[in-house]
Amino acid sequence: MNEQLERLIELQQIDLQILEKRRKISEIPSRIVQEELPLKEAQAVLEAVKQQTLDLEKRKREKEIEIDDINEKIKKMKTRITEIKTNKEYQAYLKEIESAEKERYAIEDQILAFMEEIDSASLDISSKESNALEKKKELDELKRKLEGEVAEAEKELVPLQEKRSKLVSVIDKDVYKEYIKLMESCQGVAVTEAKDEVCQGCHMNIPPQLFVEIKKNEEIINCPQCRRILYFRSNE
């Protein structure tokens, strides 16, 4: 086999490994972002329920203030009732006190309803906190796993890059330049196999006579269609 062609084939195999490891490393951040979505959704739901609980507690406090005001009003009215001289005024005063007490009872019912909602929301918060905590635990575990994969891929890149540098140093400069151009224009595959008169890069047919020359592996031959460098792998 042509020496330069043989080196290009080996270089392509190394570069495919390097590209795969770099692809894996580059995809990790976006994968983490994607995996963070369920946690963020759970946290958003939790915050919404917490805010709802705060709103209920605020409304409950407002009603409690109203109750205090009504109680003070009733207290003053009952104190002044002894000062009333006519039966008509007395009856009117009693009705006013009764009206205030009815208003108080209605507000007390509202407070009880708020308390029930707050109790229910508190249970919901507890459940959603557990859910968010579980999702965070899962995410942290995944991050550790992915960080380990990145570290392993980066570690594996070192010997591959060293091997690549040594190989590039013994490849003809013009041949290497062509290889790099093809790598850039052909999605990382500059050297590929020719099989059954078909380029395995673009899957287009190769003229029979050209395929005969490729099978010899004696020179660098480009695919007539995609320009990739072709070689033939013998079954022997």
Side-chain angles (χ1 to χ4, degrees):
M1 178 180 281
N2 178 284
E3 187 176 323
Q4 291 294 306
L5 179 59
E6 188 173 9
R7 288 170 180 169
L8 286 175
I9 294 169
E10 186 179 357
L11 179 61
Q12 177 68 85
Q13 291 170 346
I14 292 171
D15 277 345
L16 285 175
Q17 293 179 66
I18 290 173
L19 287 170
E20 174 59 24
K21 294 187 188 305
R22 285 178 177 169
R23 181 196 61 77
K24 189 175 183 179
I25 292 169
S26 68
E27 286 179 353
I28 295 297
S30 59
R31 187 175 169 190
I32 289 175
V33 169
Q34 189 65 30
E35 295 294 337
E36 283 175 338
L37 290 177
L39 173 60
K40 288 182 177 179
E41 288 172 1
Q43 289 173 333
V45 171
L46 174 60
E47 287 306 311
V49 175
K50 283 183 176 180
Q51 186 58 53
Q52 180 187 2
T53 305
L54 290 174
D55 292 342
L56 287 169
E57 288 174 345
K58 180 183 176 184
R59 291 167 69 187
K60 174 176 165 285
R61 285 194 300 272
E62 289 171 350
K63 292 300 176 182
E64 287 170 342
I65 291 171
E66 287 183 39
I67 288 283
D68 290 340
D69 291 342
I70 292 171
N71 284 335
E72 186 63 26
K73 179 182 176 182
I74 293 172
K75 182 180 177 182
K76 287 179 179 179
M77 290 171 69
K78 285 183 176 180
T79 301
R80 291 176 56 195
I81 202 167
T82 56
E83 301 172 4
I84 297 172
K85 303 200 185 295
T86 67
N87 186 58
K88 185 177 180 181
E89 286 179 336
Y90 182 75
Q91 293 300 323
Y93 225 68
L94 285 178
K95 283 186 179 180
E96 194 174 346
I97 291 172
E98 184 182 359
S99 176
E101 286 178 338
K102 284 182 179 179
E103 184 181 357
R104 181 179 63 188
Y105 296 148
I107 294 173
E108 284 174 346
D109 287 342
Q110 291 176 10
I111 290 173
L112 285 173
F114 285 142
M115 289 174 68
E116 288 176 1
E117 287 187 64
I118 289 168
D119 288 342
S120 176
S122 295
L123 291 173
D124 199 19
I125 286 172
S126 179
S127 172
K128 284 178 169 51
E129 280 179 337
S130 296
N131 183 47
L133 189 63
E134 183 62 30
K135 290 192 181 301
K136 187 178 185 306
K137 183 180 175 183
E138 290 172 2
L139 180 63
D140 289 343
E141 187 176 337
L142 177 64
K143 281 182 177 179
R144 284 193 294 272
K145 178 177 176 290
L146 294 177
E147 285 166 1
E149 290 179 7
V150 168
E152 184 63 25
E154 288 176 342
K155 182 180 176 182
E156 291 171 350
L157 274 174
V158 174
L160 285 170
Q161 289 168 334
E162 289 175 352
K163 189 175 180 181
R164 186 184 193 282
S165 296
K166 290 178 182 178
L167 192 57
V168 169
S169 67
V170 292
I171 294 176
D172 180 86
K173 289 182 179 180
D174 291 334
V175 172
Y176 181 67
K177 283 181 182 178
E178 181 186 358
Y179 171 84
I180 291 299
K181 285 181 181 178
L182 288 169
M183 284 286 286
E184 292 171 351
S185 63
C186 297
Q187 292 79 50
V189 181
V191 182
T192 190
E193 183 184 1
K195 185 177 181 181
D196 299 328
E197 297 186 4
V198 174
C199 168
Q200 298 304 297
C202 65
H203 304 290
M204 299 295 288
N205 289 330
I206 300 167
Q209 186 55 45
L210 183 61
F211 186 63
V212 170
E213 295 302 314
I214 292 168
K215 287 175 70 175
K216 295 177 183 178
N217 287 329
E218 292 178 353
E219 58 183 311
I220 294 174
I221 299 174
N222 299 85
C223 170
Q225 307 297 331
C226 66
R227 303 305 301 161
R228 288 181 173 91
I229 296 167
L230 300 174
Y231 68 91
F232 179 75
R233 181 181 286 121
S234 173
N235 292 327
E236 296 178 4

